[in-house]
Amino acid sequence: MVAALSPRLALALVWIFTTLVDRAFDTFIVPFLGLIVFPFATLMYVFAYQPGLGVTGIGWFVVVLGFLIDFTSTGLFARNRRD
């Protein structure tokens, strides 16, 4: 529910209170940039990541879906701002 309302807040909470983000990414900069630019896709990647396997199969579909949500919401925001 939190992710639907505010993906950045949801990703920050997952990062602070769990080890899922640290498990999915080796560095600090990639998830931090994801938090700023593509929060839905980063959050979906974190949830789809499996230790030892990475992201496979349906997980990539979920990550792409998160990217499309990010891309669409950014485009809608820009269009509404322009109007």
Side-chain angles (χ1 to χ4, degrees):
M1 181 76 165
V2 173
L5 298 174
S6 177
R8 287 180 176 91
L9 177 62
L11 183 58
L13 291 174
V14 168
W15 201 347
I16 292 168
F17 293 111
T18 70
T19 60
L20 294 175
V21 175
D22 295 329
R23 184 181 68 178
F25 297 103
D26 293 333
T27 65
F28 170 79
I29 193 72
V30 174
F32 182 71
L33 289 175
L35 181 69
I36 295 169
V37 181
F38 298 117
F40 271 116
T42 307
L43 188 62
M44 296 305 155
Y45 184 87
V46 166
F47 288 138
Y49 183 82
Q50 299 173 7
L53 295 175
V55 178
T56 59
I58 194 77
W60 281 116
F61 174 76
V62 172
V63 172
V64 169
L65 184 64
F67 175 76
L68 291 174
I69 292 170
D70 284 331
F71 190 70
T72 303
S73 65
T74 303
L76 290 175
F77 177 73
R79 188 181 81 189
N80 289 339
R81 186 174 168 195
R82 185 179 45 212
D83 291 342

